[in-house]
Structures are given as structure tokens and as C-alpha cells.
Amino acid sequence: MSHRAAGWKIRLRMQSDNSGIETVFRDCLTAFPWRGQQTEEIIRLRHAISLSDCLVAHELSAGLIGFLVLERKKAYVSHLFVNPDWRLCGVGSGLLGVARDMARAPLQLDVDTQNETAVRAYKAMGWIEKVGPDPNRAGQRRLSGP
């Protein structure tokens, strides 16, 4: 998938994308308190990528601008991050659209309760809260995509 006006494209992750993925991940989470130590969060991300499909959004001059990690069989998005400079350019919805096509089912994801901007963005795209509070997911809300 590509967005001609913005110049970005979505493709499957290549090994050479790993450092860019981690850079976007760190940059995005500076606005939120880490759930654990930064090292632990990076290890979780690396583990998720090793077991799942990973899509990246890439722009020729900017490089890697976003990524999504998809557990295809569960249609579950474990990670979705877009570089702050590229938000509101359709990158997140583009990644979600490609992931939905790959999963062939409506997607699910958990979003941090304190990330009100993301919750509003998902709801604007037609996502709904799937279940109420779950003690196993403290501080998170489970959403289901259209």
C-alpha cells in the first residue's frame, strides 16, 4: 500500500528495519511513562516481532515512520506506533488496513487508558471498546476494529 500524496509505502519488515523500529518505539513512548524498564520493553518488542508479522511504513527521505506488529491468527495488534511527525497523515490507519487484510478479520488491540489521543483516534475510525476492565490488562482498554 502506498499514499501517493504523502510519499510513504507499507511493506513487510526486513531485518534492516529493526533499528528504525526501535527508534520509532522509543521516540513515541517518551510521552508516556514506561510500563517497565526501557530494556524490558525493547525485549518484549523484539520478542513480538520474532513471533509475528510486522509491517513498516517507510518514506523515502524520512525512512521508517511507523510500524505494526500483528498476531495474524488472533487478528491481534500488539504494537502500533507512528513517528509523531507523521501522525494525522494516514499512516496508522494505513497500517491497520493492511493488517486487517492480512488477518482477514476485524482486528483487536489494547490501548493504554491514559493514551486519550489514541483512544479518540481509534473511536473516530470506528473502533469500539470490546470488553470491560480486565485485571490481567490493568491500565489498558481492549478495542475491536471495524
Side-chain angles (χ1 to χ4, degrees):
M1 172 182 202
S2 64
H3 189 289
R4 279 182 249 149
W8 51 260
K9 296 181 184 221
I10 295 174
R11 60 174 169 73
L12 287 171
R13 173 190 69 95
M14 297 185 296
Q15 194 74 16
S16 60
D17 294 321
N18 291 350
S19 65
I21 289 169
E22 290 182 17
T23 298
V24 169
F25 186 61
R26 284 186 182 107
D27 290 348
C28 289
L29 288 178
T30 57
F32 299 99
W34 289 95
R35 289 183 129 353
Q37 296 295 319
Q38 183 175 0
T39 304
E40 292 172 9
E41 296 295 333
I42 295 295
I43 290 169
R44 281 190 195 106
L45 172 64
R46 288 176 181 167
H47 181 71
I49 289 171
S50 73
L51 297 176
S52 304
D53 292 303
C54 182
L55 299 167
V56 298
H58 186 270
E59 198 273 337
L60 190 58
S61 62
L64 197 142
I65 58 173
F67 71 94
L68 179 148
V69 180
L70 171 68
E71 295 176 31
R72 194 185 305 206
K73 289 183 181 179
K74 295 179 182 179
Y76 179 77
V77 175
S78 66
H79 295 81
L80 171 59
F81 291 88
V82 175
N83 180 300
D85 293 339
W86 286 87
R87 292 187 184 148
L88 303 175
C89 294
V91 176
S93 60
L95 286 163
L96 288 165
V98 173
R100 184 176 34 252
D101 290 347
M102 289 174 65
R104 298 177 188 236
L107 301 173
Q108 296 182 66
L109 56 78
D110 292 315
V111 63
D112 289 336
T113 301
Q114 72 267 21
N115 192 348
E116 295 173 14
T117 302
V119 172
R120 280 193 306 272
Y122 288 122
K123 287 187 175 186
M125 289 187 283
W127 288 66
I128 58 171
E129 192 158 353
K130 184 168 174 139
V131 295
D134 181 343
N136 296 324
R137 295 182 295 107
Q140 295 190 332
R141 299 162 84 174
R142 173 69 52 98
L143 302 177
S144 181

